[in-house]
Amino acid sequence: MQVELFVNGQRRTDDVEPRLLLVHYLREVCGLRAANVGCDTTSCGACTVLLNGTSVKSCTVLTVQAAGQQVTTAEGLAANGELHPVQAAFRQEHGLQCGFCTPGMVMATVGLLSENPHPTEAEVREGLEGNFCRCTGYHNIVRAVLAAAGGAGADGAGGIAGDDGTADGERAEVGA
Ligand code: FES
Ligand code: FES
């Protein structure tokens, strides 16, 4: 069936199977590879994109459900050669290591901050609990989100609870 929607501000019309998941549409039809498939259980958040500004797990959305709506992927964040403030904060605070979870983390953060521009550390951890990083601790990610919100992340003022300042490789849950 034919579906019309907007991807990173560009109007698109494509023929898709009704069962096609949005993440597969973005990757295979649009050629946008930032949204990743990290699980098949709606658990990991690697596929997170914005749907009309709200973060969603695109492995849980049918493409046809996005008809007529605005879909934003990590590829659509930077503008005029400048990183989006959330991207810049992740870079500044070393909130990323791999390209697998990071796009989803960034998109979930954009969604979180649009709903709550000045979250507490606890609210950041709760807001990102649906996004997993499998290789490191979450301290720098939380720090990056707080920095993007203009909070304590950038310079450590106020600190992050439990943060010893090291990239210690722990695999704690974001909400832990
Ligand atoms: S691939 Fe969508 S939540 Fe894991
Ligand atoms: S930085 Fe991507 S899984 Fe840890």
Side-chain angles (χ1 to χ4, degrees):
M1 62 186 293
Q2 197 168 77
V3 65
E4 181 179 297
L5 68 168
F6 299 85
V7 179
N8 295 333
Q10 303 277 326
R11 180 197 299 264
R12 292 190 58 110
T13 303
D14 294 291
D15 281 316
V16 301
E17 288 191 46
R19 65 178 179 172
L20 184 67
L21 295 171
L22 182 58
V23 67
H24 293 309
Y25 170 77
L26 292 170
R27 291 179 59 83
E28 294 157 21
V29 179
C30 302
L32 298 170
R33 302 298 172 87
N36 292 307
V37 180
C39 70
D40 56 6
T41 56
T42 318
S43 301
C44 73
C47 62
T48 303
V49 301
L50 301 181
L51 191 57
N52 293 334
T54 300
S55 64
V56 297
K57 292 180 176 178
S58 60
C59 72
T60 314
V61 178
L62 295 168
T63 307
V64 294
Q65 291 177 290
Q69 302 189 61
Q70 298 279 350
V71 179
T72 306
T73 71
E75 290 95 334
L77 288 183
N80 303 320
E82 298 283 332
L83 292 177
H84 185 281
V86 170
Q87 293 173 308
F90 270 69
R91 181 182 184 185
Q92 172 186 302
E93 300 297 330
H94 306 288
L96 61 138
Q97 290 194 69
C98 83
F100 211 85
C101 70
T102 299
M105 290 282 186
V106 167
M107 300 312 290
T109 299
V110 174
L112 171 66
L113 295 183
S114 72
E115 292 177 10
N116 182 1
H118 301 292
T120 64
E121 180 192 340
E123 289 169 339
V124 170
R125 290 181 181 275
E126 183 178 354
L128 295 186
E129 67 181 0
N131 290 72
F132 294 169
C133 166
R134 293 185 167 92
C135 64
T136 186
Y138 292 90
H139 292 308
N140 287 355
I141 293 169
V142 174
R143 190 184 292 273
V145 178
L146 292 172
D155 59 9
I160 303 291
D163 185 3
D164 62 3
T166 62
D168 55 12
E170 72 175 15
R171 297 176 60 189
E173 296 290 314
V174 122

